[in-house]
Protein backbone atom coordinates (compact mmCIF):
# COMPACT_ATOMS: atom_id res chain seq x y z
CA UNK A 1 0.00 0.00 0.00
CA UNK A 2 1.12 3.55 -0.67
CA UNK A 3 2.48 5.20 2.45
CA UNK A 4 0.85 8.48 3.41
CA UNK A 5 1.88 10.94 6.07
CA UNK A 6 -0.42 10.76 9.11
CA UNK A 7 -3.16 13.41 9.16
CA UNK A 8 -2.04 16.11 11.59
CA UNK A 9 -4.38 16.79 14.54
CA UNK A 10 -5.19 20.31 13.33
CA UNK A 11 -6.58 18.92 10.07
CA UNK A 12 -8.82 16.32 11.70
CA UNK A 13 -12.42 17.18 12.36
CA UNK A 14 -14.61 15.89 15.16
CA UNK A 15 -15.09 12.15 15.61
CA UNK A 16 -18.22 11.03 13.79
CA UNK A 17 -20.58 9.25 16.22
CA UNK A 18 -22.75 6.20 15.54
CA UNK A 19 -25.47 8.42 14.03
CA UNK A 20 -23.11 8.98 11.10
CA UNK A 21 -23.13 12.77 11.19
CA UNK A 22 -22.14 15.79 13.27
CA UNK A 23 -24.10 19.05 13.35
CA UNK A 24 -22.41 22.25 14.43
CA UNK A 25 -24.38 25.40 15.34
CA UNK A 26 -23.00 28.37 13.40
CA UNK A 27 -25.37 30.90 14.97
CA UNK A 28 -28.41 32.75 13.64
CA UNK A 29 -30.17 29.50 12.73
CA UNK A 30 -27.30 28.35 10.49
CA UNK A 31 -25.79 24.89 10.92
CA UNK A 32 -22.87 22.97 9.50
CA UNK A 33 -23.34 19.24 8.93
CA UNK A 34 -20.73 16.64 8.03
CA UNK A 35 -20.30 12.89 7.87
CA UNK A 36 -16.51 13.20 7.64
CA UNK A 37 -15.92 13.19 3.88
CA UNK A 38 -18.54 15.68 2.77
CA UNK A 39 -20.21 18.64 4.41
CA UNK A 40 -22.79 21.33 3.82
CA UNK A 41 -24.96 23.86 5.62
CA UNK A 42 -28.59 24.64 6.33
CA UNK A 43 -30.40 27.59 7.80
CA UNK A 44 -33.55 27.56 9.87
CA UNK A 45 -35.89 30.41 8.94
CA UNK A 46 -39.16 31.42 10.51
CA UNK A 47 -41.08 29.13 8.14
CA UNK A 48 -38.75 26.25 7.39
CA UNK A 49 -35.25 25.22 6.43
CA UNK A 50 -33.08 26.41 3.56
CA UNK A 51 -30.63 23.68 2.67
CA UNK A 52 -27.57 23.89 0.45
CA UNK A 53 -27.04 20.69 -1.56
CA UNK A 54 -28.02 17.11 -0.73
CA UNK A 55 -25.10 14.74 -0.96
CA UNK A 56 -25.56 10.97 -1.36
CA UNK A 57 -22.70 10.60 1.15
CA UNK A 58 -25.14 12.01 3.71
CA UNK A 59 -28.30 10.62 2.10
CA UNK A 60 -31.11 10.08 4.63
CA UNK A 61 -28.82 11.22 7.43
CA UNK A 62 -29.17 14.75 6.14
CA UNK A 63 -32.87 14.85 7.05
CA UNK A 64 -32.08 13.22 10.41
CA UNK A 65 -29.46 15.90 11.04
CA UNK A 66 -31.93 18.67 10.20
CA UNK A 67 -34.64 17.04 12.36
CA UNK A 68 -32.16 16.97 15.26
CA UNK A 69 -32.26 20.79 15.10
CA UNK A 70 -35.81 21.67 14.05
CA UNK A 71 -39.10 19.97 13.13
CA UNK A 72 -39.61 22.53 10.33
CA UNK A 73 -39.67 21.22 6.75
CA UNK A 74 -37.07 21.91 4.10
CA UNK A 75 -38.71 24.65 2.04
CA UNK A 76 -35.76 25.61 -0.16
CA UNK A 77 -32.85 23.69 -1.63
CA UNK A 78 -30.01 25.62 -3.24
CA UNK A 79 -27.71 23.75 -5.62
CA UNK A 80 -24.15 25.03 -5.24
CA UNK A 81 -23.26 23.32 -8.51
CA UNK A 82 -24.37 20.26 -10.48
CA UNK A 83 -21.94 17.54 -9.36
CA UNK A 84 -23.62 14.34 -8.21
CA UNK A 85 -21.43 13.92 -5.11
CA UNK A 86 -23.04 17.11 -3.77
CA UNK A 87 -26.63 17.00 -5.04
CA UNK A 88 -27.18 13.33 -5.92
CA UNK A 89 -29.52 12.81 -2.96
CA UNK A 90 -31.79 15.75 -3.83
CA UNK A 91 -34.53 13.33 -4.94
CA UNK A 92 -34.90 12.25 -1.28
CA UNK A 93 -36.10 15.77 -0.43
CA UNK A 94 -38.40 16.27 -3.38
CA UNK A 95 -41.95 17.02 -2.37
CA UNK A 96 -44.70 19.41 -3.45
CA UNK A 97 -43.80 22.99 -2.81
CA UNK A 98 -40.05 22.45 -2.41
CA UNK A 99 -38.26 25.26 -4.19
CA UNK A 100 -34.98 24.25 -5.81
CA UNK A 101 -32.77 27.17 -6.77
CA UNK A 102 -29.64 27.18 -8.92
CA UNK A 103 -27.83 29.08 -11.61
CA UNK A 104 -29.38 28.53 -15.02
CA UNK A 105 -26.19 26.84 -16.25
CA UNK A 106 -26.55 24.25 -13.48
CA UNK A 107 -30.16 23.68 -14.52
CA UNK A 108 -29.12 23.17 -18.13
CA UNK A 109 -26.36 20.77 -17.10
CA UNK A 110 -28.82 18.64 -15.10
CA UNK A 111 -31.28 18.69 -17.99
CA UNK A 112 -28.60 17.33 -20.31
CA UNK A 113 -27.69 14.49 -17.93
CA UNK A 114 -30.04 11.76 -19.04
CA UNK A 115 -31.31 8.90 -16.87
CA UNK A 116 -30.49 10.52 -13.57
CA UNK A 117 -33.58 11.18 -11.48
CA UNK A 118 -31.44 11.68 -8.38
CA UNK A 119 -30.93 15.30 -9.36
CA UNK A 120 -34.35 16.93 -9.83
CA UNK A 121 -34.41 20.00 -12.05
CA UNK A 122 -34.34 23.35 -10.27
CA UNK A 123 -37.70 25.11 -9.98
CA UNK A 124 -36.07 28.56 -10.11
CA UNK A 125 -32.91 29.59 -11.91
CA UNK A 126 -31.17 32.87 -12.58
CA UNK A 127 -28.76 33.99 -15.25
CA UNK A 128 -25.84 36.36 -15.02
CA UNK A 129 -23.69 37.15 -12.03
CA UNK A 130 -25.90 37.70 -9.01
CA UNK A 131 -29.22 36.84 -7.43
CA UNK A 132 -30.25 38.27 -4.08
CA UNK A 133 -33.13 36.70 -2.22
CA UNK A 134 -34.88 37.22 1.07
CA UNK A 135 -36.04 33.78 2.12
CA UNK A 136 -38.40 34.04 5.08
CA UNK A 137 -36.31 36.78 6.67
CA UNK A 138 -32.81 35.56 5.77
CA UNK A 139 -30.88 37.29 3.00
CA UNK A 140 -29.05 35.05 0.51
CA UNK A 141 -26.67 36.45 -2.10
CA UNK A 142 -25.89 33.92 -4.84
CA UNK A 143 -22.86 34.92 -6.89
CA UNK A 144 -21.54 33.35 -10.06
CA UNK A 145 -18.09 34.88 -10.39
CA UNK A 146 -16.42 32.48 -12.81
CA UNK A 147 -15.87 28.81 -13.59
CA UNK A 148 -13.51 28.12 -10.70
CA UNK A 149 -14.83 24.57 -10.23
CA UNK A 150 -17.73 23.87 -12.60
CA UNK A 151 -19.69 26.21 -14.86
CA UNK A 152 -22.63 27.53 -12.85
CA UNK A 153 -20.86 27.14 -9.46
CA UNK A 154 -22.00 29.60 -6.80
CA UNK A 155 -20.77 31.50 -3.83
CA UNK A 156 -23.67 31.47 -1.36
CA UNK A 157 -23.29 34.45 0.95
CA UNK A 158 -25.47 35.16 3.97
CA UNK A 159 -24.23 38.64 4.91
CA UNK A 160 -26.24 39.07 8.12
CA UNK A 161 -25.14 35.64 9.37
CA UNK A 162 -21.52 36.31 8.36
CA UNK A 163 -21.58 32.98 6.57
CA UNK A 164 -20.26 31.89 3.17
CA UNK A 165 -20.88 28.68 1.27
CA UNK A 166 -18.39 27.85 -1.48
CA UNK A 167 -18.66 24.14 -2.15
CA UNK A 168 -15.59 22.50 -3.70
CA UNK A 169 -13.47 25.63 -3.35
CA UNK A 170 -10.83 24.30 -0.93
CA UNK A 171 -10.39 22.23 2.24
CA UNK A 172 -9.77 24.14 5.48
CA UNK A 173 -6.53 22.97 7.16
CA UNK A 174 -5.69 20.64 4.25
CA UNK A 175 -4.13 20.96 0.81
CA UNK A 176 -6.62 21.14 -2.07
CA UNK A 177 -7.95 18.01 -3.75
CA UNK A 178 -6.31 16.79 -6.92
CA UNK A 179 -5.94 19.17 -9.84
CA UNK A 180 -6.95 22.12 -7.63
CA UNK A 181 -10.40 20.71 -7.00
CA UNK A 182 -10.29 19.33 -10.56
CA UNK A 183 -10.44 22.83 -11.87
CA UNK A 184 -11.04 22.95 -15.59
CA UNK A 185 -9.81 26.52 -15.51
CA UNK A 186 -6.92 27.04 -13.13
CA UNK A 187 -6.74 30.86 -13.49
CA UNK A 188 -10.39 31.06 -12.37
CA UNK A 189 -9.49 28.95 -9.34
CA UNK A 190 -6.79 31.44 -8.38
CA UNK A 191 -9.25 34.31 -8.96
CA UNK A 192 -11.82 32.60 -6.74
CA UNK A 193 -9.49 32.75 -3.73
CA UNK A 194 -9.07 36.51 -4.27
CA UNK A 195 -12.83 36.92 -4.70
CA UNK A 196 -13.60 34.93 -1.55
CA UNK A 197 -11.46 37.32 0.46
CA UNK A 198 -13.54 40.30 -0.68
CA UNK A 199 -16.69 39.20 1.17
CA UNK A 200 -17.58 39.80 4.80
CA UNK A 201 -18.02 36.54 6.75
CA UNK A 202 -16.61 34.68 9.71
CA UNK A 203 -17.31 31.10 8.65
CA UNK A 204 -16.98 29.42 5.27
CA UNK A 205 -18.41 26.01 4.40
CA UNK A 206 -16.55 24.39 1.54
CA UNK A 207 -18.13 20.99 0.95
CA UNK A 208 -15.50 18.42 1.89
CA UNK A 209 -14.08 16.81 5.02
CA UNK A 210 -15.22 17.60 8.54
CA UNK A 211 -14.25 21.21 9.23
CA UNK A 212 -15.74 24.59 8.39
CA UNK A 213 -13.20 27.33 7.73
CA UNK A 214 -12.51 31.03 8.11
CA UNK A 215 -11.22 33.78 5.82
CA UNK A 216 -7.75 33.00 7.25
CA UNK A 217 -8.08 29.48 5.85
CA UNK A 218 -8.91 30.95 2.43
CA UNK A 219 -5.80 33.13 2.65
CA UNK A 220 -3.72 30.09 3.63
CA UNK A 221 -5.04 28.11 0.67
CA UNK A 222 -4.22 31.05 -1.59
CA UNK A 223 -0.70 31.22 -0.24
CA UNK A 224 -0.30 27.48 -0.80
CA UNK A 225 -1.50 27.56 -4.40
CA UNK A 226 0.72 30.57 -5.08
CA UNK A 227 3.63 28.43 -3.89
CA UNK A 228 2.47 25.68 -6.28
CA UNK A 229 2.41 28.16 -9.13
CA UNK A 230 5.84 29.62 -8.28
CA UNK A 231 7.38 26.13 -8.12
CA UNK A 232 5.68 25.05 -11.35
CA UNK A 233 6.77 28.21 -13.17
CA UNK A 234 10.37 27.82 -12.06
CA UNK A 235 10.36 24.15 -13.12
CA UNK A 236 8.90 25.08 -16.51
CA UNK A 237 11.69 27.60 -16.94
CA UNK A 238 14.46 25.16 -16.03
CA UNK A 239 13.42 21.70 -17.24
CA UNK A 240 14.34 21.27 -20.91
CA UNK A 241 12.04 19.20 -23.12
CA UNK A 242 14.82 17.73 -25.27
CA UNK A 243 16.94 16.81 -22.27
CA UNK A 244 13.96 15.20 -20.53
CA UNK A 245 13.19 13.15 -23.68
CA UNK A 246 16.80 12.09 -24.10
CA UNK A 247 17.05 11.06 -20.44
CA UNK A 248 13.91 8.92 -20.84
CA UNK A 249 15.02 7.59 -24.26
CA UNK A 250 11.82 8.72 -25.96
CA UNK A 251 11.91 7.85 -29.69
CA UNK A 252 12.31 11.03 -31.77
CA UNK A 253 9.08 10.45 -33.70
CA UNK A 254 6.91 10.12 -30.57
CA UNK A 255 5.98 13.73 -29.87
CA UNK A 256 3.12 12.88 -27.55
CA UNK A 257 5.41 10.84 -25.31
CA UNK A 258 7.90 13.70 -25.43
CA UNK A 259 5.32 16.09 -23.97
CA UNK A 260 4.24 13.60 -21.32
CA UNK A 261 7.82 12.86 -20.22
CA UNK A 262 8.65 16.56 -20.14
CA UNK A 263 5.62 17.51 -18.05
CA UNK A 264 6.31 14.63 -15.66
CA UNK A 265 9.86 15.97 -15.25
CA UNK A 266 8.52 19.50 -14.72
CA UNK A 267 6.14 18.20 -12.05
CA UNK A 268 8.88 16.24 -10.30
CA UNK A 269 11.21 19.25 -10.34
CA UNK A 270 8.42 21.51 -9.03
CA UNK A 271 7.81 19.08 -6.15
CA UNK A 272 11.48 19.46 -5.15
CA UNK A 273 11.11 23.24 -5.26
CA UNK A 274 8.00 23.38 -3.05
CA UNK A 275 8.62 24.79 0.41
CA UNK A 276 7.53 22.68 3.37
CA UNK A 277 3.85 23.02 4.31
CA UNK A 278 3.39 20.01 6.59
CA UNK A 279 3.12 22.14 9.72
CA UNK A 280 0.36 24.28 8.23
CA UNK A 281 -1.76 21.95 6.06
CA UNK A 282 -2.68 18.29 6.14
CA UNK A 283 -2.50 16.04 3.10
CA UNK A 284 0.25 17.98 1.34
CA UNK A 285 1.80 14.69 0.20
CA UNK A 286 -1.37 13.22 -1.30
CA UNK A 287 -2.26 15.37 -4.30
CA UNK A 288 0.98 17.33 -4.63
CA UNK A 289 1.89 15.91 -8.07
CA UNK A 290 -1.65 16.28 -9.39
CA UNK A 291 -1.88 19.87 -8.20
CA UNK A 292 1.55 20.76 -9.54
CA UNK A 293 0.74 19.09 -12.86
CA UNK A 294 -2.48 21.13 -13.18
CA UNK A 295 -0.70 24.32 -12.18
CA UNK A 296 2.22 23.67 -14.55
CA UNK A 297 -0.08 23.00 -17.51
CA UNK A 298 -1.95 26.19 -16.72
CA UNK A 299 1.27 28.21 -16.37
CA UNK A 300 2.36 26.75 -19.74
CA UNK A 301 -0.80 27.38 -21.77
CA UNK A 302 -3.02 29.99 -20.08
ZN1 LIG B 1 -17.93 19.46 -7.53
Amino acid sequence: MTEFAPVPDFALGPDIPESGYVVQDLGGGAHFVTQGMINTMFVETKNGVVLVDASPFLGDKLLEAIESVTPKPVTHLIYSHAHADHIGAAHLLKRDGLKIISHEITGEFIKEVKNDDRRPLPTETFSGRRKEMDIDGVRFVLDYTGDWHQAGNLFIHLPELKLMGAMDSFTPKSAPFFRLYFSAHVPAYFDAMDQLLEYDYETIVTGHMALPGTPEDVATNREYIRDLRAAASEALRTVDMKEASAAAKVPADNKQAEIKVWMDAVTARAAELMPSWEKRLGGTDIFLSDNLNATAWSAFID
Side-chain angles (χ1 to χ4, degrees):
M1 196 193 102
T2 318
E3 291 283 326
F4 295 108
V7 181
D9 286 345
F10 62 77
L12 288 169
D15 289 333
I16 307 297
E18 197 110 313
S19 65
Y21 60 84
V22 167
V23 176
Q24 184 183 332
D25 190 344
L26 300 176
H31 290 79
F32 172 80
V33 55
T34 182
Q35 51 70 264
M37 175 72 83
I38 207 122
N39 66 58
T40 194
M41 62 195 207
F42 61 91
V43 184
E44 183 182 356
T45 68
K46 57 180 189 276
N47 296 330
V49 170
V50 183
L51 171 65
V52 175
D53 294 345
S55 167
F57 284 86
L58 276 156
D60 289 329
K61 294 190 182 90
L62 188 53
L63 280 170
E64 269 179 57
I66 293 168
E67 280 161 15
S68 77
V69 170
T70 172
K72 292 176 188 169
V74 176
T75 52
H76 297 74
L77 175 62
I78 300 172
Y79 287 161
S80 66
H81 65 299
H83 284 156
D85 62 325
H86 290 269
I87 66 166
H91 65 287
L92 299 176
L93 301 159
K94 188 113 179 75
R95 55 168 189 81
D96 286 346
L98 175 69
K99 292 199 167 85
I100 304 180
I101 300 152
S102 78
H103 196 275
E104 135 187 295
I105 293 170
T106 299
E108 279 159 17
F109 183 95
I110 295 168
K111 208 180 288 178
E112 278 165 25
V113 177
K114 304 280 190 284
N115 306 317
D116 184 3
D117 49 15
R118 299 173 307 156
R119 289 178 278 186
L121 284 172
T123 60
E124 286 175 34
T125 62
F126 70 101
S127 58
R129 190 190 184 282
R130 171 167 289 190
K131 181 183 175 71
E132 267 195 71
M133 296 177 297
D134 181 299
I135 303 180
D136 300 326
V138 181
R139 186 158 66 106
F140 286 77
V141 181
L142 309 185
D143 273 346
Y144 178 38
T145 64
D147 298 341
W148 45 269
H149 175 64
Q150 183 190 26
N153 53 205
L154 298 178
F155 294 147
I156 301 164
H157 187 211
L158 286 69
E160 281 70 35
L161 271 56
K162 301 231 180 256
L163 178 61
M164 172 63 91
M167 305 308 162
D168 280 345
S169 57
F170 75 105
T171 309
K173 313 294 183 208
S174 288
F177 278 3
F178 76 110
R179 298 187 64 80
L180 299 178
Y181 269 87
F182 32 104
S183 178
H185 192 209
V186 172
Y189 184 83
F190 277 80
D191 290 346
M193 295 305 126
D194 294 338
Q195 292 156 356
L196 280 174
L197 288 167
E198 287 164 11
Y199 293 84
D200 182 24
Y201 56 90
E202 286 165 6
T203 303
I204 180 166
V205 176
T206 64
H208 278 283
M209 315 319 276
L211 292 169
T214 64
E216 289 68 39
D217 292 317
V218 178
T220 301
N221 190 64
R222 181 171 71 171
E223 192 183 333
Y224 179 73
I225 65 174
R226 284 176 174 175
D227 276 0
L228 291 175
R229 187 168 59 188
S233 299
E234 176 62 13
L236 278 171
R237 212 177 56 74
T238 53
V239 176
D240 182 77
M241 195 184 290
K242 293 276 167 257
E243 282 173 24
S245 297
K249 298 190 168 60
V250 175
D253 61 353
N254 196 339
K255 297 300 174 198
Q256 227 177 319
E258 199 172 297
I259 296 242
K260 159 80 175 149
V261 160
W262 172 64
M263 195 48 89
D264 284 353
V266 166
T267 301
R269 178 79 189 109
E272 291 165 6
L273 293 167
M274 269 300 279
S276 166
W277 271 85
E278 291 86 81
K279 291 202 163 52
R280 298 180 65 191
L281 291 177
T284 50
D285 55 326
I286 300 169
F287 293 120
L288 180 63
S289 290
D290 304 271
N291 283 330
L292 283 170
N293 185 272
T295 313
W297 272 119
S298 171
F300 183 50
I301 62 176
D302 283 327

